[in-house]
């Protein structure tokens, strides 16, 4: 099986790809807790500067190899984003940050500071209703109603959704927003 099989970018990113490709972002895009960086690879294939960050070195190695195979540049950074007292996000640096299927609440203030004015944030993760469909079950990894929107209420919200999605069935909250002048 090739890398591309079973490694489709997130539907939310495919639907709103134009927000990254049709505009001049004020810096690279960070694919945070990226796993195999399937989302970052899509942006790299669209000539964007991308930094993929995850704790799993084998997944980053696979992403790096796929980028090489496709002839695109991709920076891969191995990091434990949940290490106490450590913030690896450079302030006022990224033109965009993407996060899918990951939640570590202490990172949110650092993410907000890491995106430059005019930059895009795309975030999708599970809500407390996910327990009825499968993992995760730990409330530390599940958003409460309105929580995601509340964190970014001072940004320009482009898209917001909270509810049940199909294929596979899952309970999620999604937000796409642009950082305005703070």
């Amino acid at each position: 099986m090739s890398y591309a099989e079973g490694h489709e970018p997130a539907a939310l990113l495919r639907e709103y790809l134009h927000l990254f490709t049709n505009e001049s972002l004020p810096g690279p895009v960070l694919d945070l807790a990226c796993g195999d960086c399937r989302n970052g690879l899509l942006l790299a294939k669209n000539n964007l500067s991308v930094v993929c960050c995850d704790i799993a070195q084998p997944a980053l190695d696979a992403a790096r190899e796929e980028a090489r195979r496709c002839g695109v540049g991709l920076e891969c950074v191995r990091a434990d984003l949940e290490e106490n007292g450590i913030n690896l996000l450079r302030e006022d640096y990224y033109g965009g940050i993407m996060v899918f299927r990951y939640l570590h609440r202490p990172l949110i203030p650092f993410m907000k500071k890491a995106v430059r004015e005019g930059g895009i944030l795309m975030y999708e993760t599970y809500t407390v209703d996910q327990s009825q469909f499968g993992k995760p079950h730990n409330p530390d990894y599940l958003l409460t109603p309105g929580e995601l929107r509340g964190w970014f209420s001072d940004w320009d919200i482009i898209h917001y959704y909270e509810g049940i999605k199909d294929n596979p069935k899952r309970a999620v909250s999604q937000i796409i927003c642009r950082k305005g002048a703070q």
Side-chain angles (χ1 to χ4, degrees):
M1 178 165 71
S2 74
Y3 177 91
E5 294 175 55
H7 291 85
E8 288 294 315
L12 183 65
L13 177 59
R14 291 192 313 267
E15 183 178 349
Y16 287 92
L17 181 63
H18 65 277
L19 293 174
F20 294 98
T21 58
N22 292 353
E23 301 181 28
S24 180
L25 294 178
V29 178
L30 174 64
D31 190 354
L32 191 65
C34 67
D36 61 13
C37 201
R38 68 186 76 179
N39 299 305
L41 279 162
L42 176 62
L43 295 184
K45 290 174 185 175
N46 280 275
N47 301 313
L48 288 160
S49 175
V50 178
V51 178
C52 291
C53 180
D54 200 89
I55 194 170
Q57 190 62 53
L60 291 173
D61 291 344
R64 190 177 289 114
E65 178 58 28
E66 178 66 6
R68 186 200 58 74
R69 191 186 69 70
C70 294
V72 298
L74 191 70
E75 181 182 349
C76 292
V77 176
R78 184 189 176 284
D80 181 351
L81 298 168
E82 298 177 20
E83 189 173 337
N84 286 336
I86 302 292
N87 171 31
L88 301 169
L89 303 181
R90 293 173 58 181
E91 194 168 321
D92 197 34
Y93 181 74
Y94 295 101
I97 293 180
M98 301 184 296
V99 184
F100 292 93
R101 298 173 308 279
Y102 177 77
L103 178 61
H104 183 60
R105 289 173 176 88
L107 282 177
I108 300 302
F110 298 113
M111 289 171 50
K112 290 183 76 170
K113 290 177 183 175
V115 176
R116 289 181 171 169
E117 183 179 331
I120 298 285
L121 176 113
M122 181 178 286
Y123 205 130
E124 176 183 291
T125 199
Y126 302 109
T127 68
V128 293
D129 294 330
Q130 175 61 22
S131 301
Q132 64 187 309
F133 304 116
K135 293 181 180 179
H137 299 286
N138 184 334
D140 290 345
Y141 306 122
L142 301 171
L143 291 166
T144 59
E147 186 175 12
L148 185 60
R149 184 180 195 108
W151 289 334
F152 296 97
S153 62
D154 56 337
W155 290 32
D156 300 322
I157 296 177
I158 298 165
H159 165 82
Y160 183 77
Y161 173 84
E162 190 171 298
I164 308 301
K165 291 281 188 178
D166 291 314
N167 300 321
K169 201 156 203 67
R170 65 206 185 281
V172 296
S173 185
Q174 304 172 329
I175 195 165
I176 302 171
C177 50
R178 182 182 314 278
K179 185 176 186 177
Q182 302 293 303

